[in-house]
Amino acid sequence: MIDSSAQISSDAVVAESAQVDAGVFIGEGCKIGKNVTIGRNSIVEAYTEIGENTCISPNVHIGGAPQDIGFNNEATRLIIGKNCTIREFSTIHRASTKEDRVTEIGDNCYIMATSHIGHDCKVGNNVIITSFVGLSGHVQVGDSVVFGGMAGIHQFVRIGKGAMIGGFSRIAKDVPPFCLAEGNPAKIHGLNSVGLRRGGFKREQLSNLKKVMRIFLNKEYLIDDAINEIVKLSDSAEVKEFAEFLRSSKRGVLRR
């Protein structure tokens, strides 16, 4: 399952069931899981772990050094989960030394052609990243987030669980969970209702979040006042998660 023209470092570990096509390079410290496929001419540069059943298309470059002028070739890591798809010409960099030294992609993610995920990013499970999206360094993305094409995400921004980012958007502040954000500069346009219904949210949960939105987007409330009103609505998990996200924001959050 390994083409004779592939170059594989002597200390890389490649599962017997993995498929490695012509022209692939796998560098030092890499671990390639069961049933992984790596397409022609792709590069897995160094210290990268790829979970089972993940498919790497041709001409992908992952595990490269971070684009960080303070980096000095330290052995930082990239971890990619199970059942992911990474399409042509995408790039994912391993971490800098400024946090936990790991860039991490969760399970079941679909990363479309020409996307970029920068150093120290943490991407959750079931995330869809459309073509030409750029995640700068240290971005945190919750589970089940969807990015529209050509969206740009500023470094250190957090995108909450279940959010939808519209195409061509510029995101410079945190996006709360379950929200729809779009624009340049971006604004919150309400709930990601379609995505939440598709994700199995029940009527009561959606009703709770609609009440949250009415408070959160009310310009009469400062953010701290909005949080105080939101926590009074319900003790449900989704309301608590929304309020805690607002409390923990360091960059500030997008609003209307």
Side-chain angles (χ1 to χ4, degrees), residues 133-137 139 147 151-155 157 159 165 169-171:
V133 166
L135 272 59
S136 302
V139 169
F147 292 89
I153 316 302
H154 195 281
Q155 58 262 40
V157 159
I159 310 292
I165 308 300
S169 294
R170 177 171 66 90
I171 308 295

Side-chain angles (χ1 to χ4, degrees), residues 29 31 46-49 63 74-79 93-96 100-104 120:
K31 296 180 180 179
Y47 304 108
T48 295
E49 180 178 337
E74 293 90 350
T76 58
R77 301 167 63 205
L78 166 63
I79 298 174
H93 291 166
R94 65 182 193 271
S96 70
D100 62 0
R101 298 188 175 215
V102 178
T103 301
E104 189 166 6
D120 299 282

